Each structure stands twice: as C-alpha cells, then as structure tokens.
Amino acid sequence: MLKDPRFCRLLPLWEGLFNKIGIEPCYVLVLRSLEEVASSLCRRNGMPVNKAVLLYLTYLLDAERNTPKYQNVVVRYEALLQDWILELAELDLAFDLQVGELSPAVVEQVTQFLLPSLKHFNVAPDKQADSSSVSARLAQRLYNAFEASSHQIDRELDDIQVVFEMHLASPEPWLTEPVQFLRLKQEITRPGRFDKVKFRLTH
C-alpha cells in the first residue's frame, strides 16, 4: 500500500514500473471537504487560501484523470473516521482483497489511529465553501460531483476540467498572491501552460 497526496500527480511516472513488475493497482480516493483541507493547509503550512484551493482542485482532478482505467473507489474522509470497518468491508468487496477476519489487536490499533477526536478541522455538513472566487466554486462543484457518484459524474468532471483550464489561463488565480506568483505557478501548472498565461498577463 502506498499513501502520498502527490501520488495522483506522479502516477504517470509510476505506471511504467507497475507494468514492468506486473502490478495491477487499485486506487482509493479519499474525499475531504474543501473547507477542511484549506483550513489544514493554511494553519499547518502557512499556505495562502488561494493556493490551498488551487491545489485542492489540481490534485483531485489529476486523481480522477489518472485513475479511471484502473479500479478506484471514492471514500469520504468522514465516513472512514466514523466506521472504518464498514468502509474496509466495501473496499474488500470492490477490490476482492480477501481481508478475512481481523484480530482484536488489529482492530484496536486501527481504531486508535482513526479516532475522530484526532481530526483537527470540522465543518458542518450543510456548510458550503466560500463562493467569492471561481476556484472556490469549482472546488465545491468538484467535491459534489465526487460525492454524488452518479452516471453523470464523467460529464461534470470534464466540464469542471475545461473551466479550470480556462481559469488558469486568466490573470485572476495569480493576482491574489503576487509575491508567491512564480512558485505557485510551478506547483499548479503543467508544461506548456506557463507561456500562455504569461502572454495573457503581459499583452
């Protein structure tokens, strides 16, 4: 098992290794609300809110883009903390993991690791993200699309991706944190996008 938030961005690099050693991966996409993720990044890393929202969008969209040809299951972070045994049973069924019966020691260890009290940021279920920016509205749409898991999710995600690409090509995402402009752009954009944004900003 591998766990790393950056894995969704580096997956194309890992695919060659997986194919070489004969591994057919399965992916668990852990879905957490924008408000909680942004609050965590801002407090823990001192990250500007704008950057936290852009990273949230980028990582989730990359995760969706890079995993559809493999088995993947979306797990809500809150559900995992509330009843991890139930979530594990659903993963076992989806991936045919053949977990078997867990020993009391394992159950206790995992339960202590996933204590809800260790969650530092809590947002009311009916609380919506701040819709004052395009990025925040897109992030909320993305969260809702993953949570819905309906047959229309692919169309919604494709639309969000297109709008996000257009948003990144405009000045708005970058002007709110001008001091960190270059570093932020390096972390968010992909090769080929920078020149287009630079052209828009200087002409």
Side-chain angles (χ1 to χ4, degrees), residues 4-12 15 25-32 54-75 142 146 153-154 157-158 161 164 190:
D4 188 334
R6 292 158 294 191
F7 196 74
C8 57
R9 306 214 73 192
L10 299 175
L11 183 56
E15 282 185 316
C26 300
Y27 295 98
V28 179
L29 307 181
V30 181
L31 183 65
R32 191 174 182 183
L54 290 173
L55 285 178
Y56 182 92
L57 275 163
T58 301
Y59 278 46
L60 269 184
L61 286 170
D62 279 352
E64 186 278 331
R65 180 191 300 108
N66 291 327
T67 61
K69 57 184 175 182
Y70 303 106
Q71 285 185 293
N72 65 74
V73 172
V74 176
V75 173
L142 184 59
F146 271 107
I153 187 173
D154 290 338
L157 291 175
D158 288 343
Q161 178 68 55
F164 188 44
R190 296 185 182 79

Side-chain angles (χ1 to χ4, degrees), residues 12-145:
L13 181 66
W14 285 87
E15 282 185 316
L17 176 61
F18 291 156
N19 294 332
K20 184 175 181 179
I21 61 181
I23 290 179
E24 184 174 346
C26 300
Y27 295 98
V28 179
L29 307 181
V30 181
L31 183 65
R32 191 174 182 183
S33 74
L34 169 64
E35 294 88 351
E36 293 181 355
V37 172
S39 296
S40 177
L41 290 173
C42 291
R43 179 176 296 183
R44 186 189 65 199
N45 300 75
M47 185 180 295
V49 174
N50 180 55
K51 179 179 178 180
V53 174
L54 290 173
L55 285 178
Y56 182 92
L57 275 163
T58 301
Y59 278 46
L60 269 184
L61 286 170
D62 279 352
E64 186 278 331
R65 180 191 300 108
N66 291 327
T67 61
K69 57 184 175 182
Y70 303 106
Q71 285 185 293
N72 65 74
V73 172
V74 176
V75 173
R76 291 176 58 249
Y77 182 71
E78 294 79 7
L80 185 64
L81 294 183
Q82 291 171 3
D83 192 343
W84 67 267
I85 294 179
L86 176 61
E87 295 301 313
L88 177 61
E90 294 184 0
L91 292 176
D92 189 11
L93 181 62
F95 297 144
D96 191 23
L97 300 176
Q98 301 181 11
V99 172
E101 185 176 356
L102 301 176
S103 69
V106 169
V107 171
E108 176 63 18
Q109 184 178 13
V110 176
T111 299
Q112 292 300 315
F113 182 74
L114 294 175
L115 282 175
S117 60
L118 297 178
K119 182 182 177 186
H120 301 296
F121 299 96
N122 295 278
V123 176
D126 59 345
K127 181 176 176 57
Q128 295 294 313
D130 179 12
S131 60
S132 59
S133 70
V134 174
S135 299
R137 291 194 295 271
L138 284 176
Q140 189 60 49
R141 279 183 61 189
L142 184 59
Y143 178 87
N144 293 340

